[in-house]
Amino acid sequence: MRTRARRPPMSPDQDREDPAQELVMQAAWDWVMKAHEQPLGDAELDALNRWLDADPQHRIAHAQASRLWLLSGLVPPAHDDDGLPH
């Protein structure tokens, strides 16, 4: 079983964030981590696309989490395709 990693802070005001926004950011971080652990399957890509399309804030949070992942120099993807919709 994979341990859920706590996402790093996305802003200096994290402690003052709206709890709903905190959940969105955590979900975005989870998606980014999952996509970098292994390629997303068709069902997972569909789920990610539905989540991204459900609210404009989801897409913004996902972009922020993706940038943070790249800037942090964490483990590169285990596959050629980043598994994310473009």
Side-chain angles (χ1 to χ4, degrees), residues 18-81:
D18 175 348
Q21 182 63 20
E22 177 67 20
L23 291 174
V24 168
M25 293 305 296
Q26 182 63 54
W29 183 246
D30 289 346
W31 276 116
V32 168
M33 286 181 48
K34 187 174 198 172
H36 282 81
E37 288 173 354
Q38 62 185 355
L40 297 179
D42 290 341
E44 291 170 318
L45 281 172
D46 288 344
L48 173 56
N49 280 317
R50 283 191 306 275
W51 183 78
L52 290 170
D53 292 341
D55 186 316
Q57 291 301 312
H58 293 181
R59 198 167 291 279
I60 292 167
H62 189 270
Q64 290 174 339
S66 294
R67 278 192 304 273
L68 182 61
W69 182 274
L70 292 174
L71 291 172
S72 69
L74 295 175
V75 179
H79 47 81
D80 294 332
D81 181 12

Side-chain angles (χ1 to χ4, degrees), residues 7-17:
R7 70 163 177 86
M10 298 288 177
S11 74
D13 297 328
Q14 177 179 342
D15 292 337
R16 292 181 265 164
E17 284 186 27

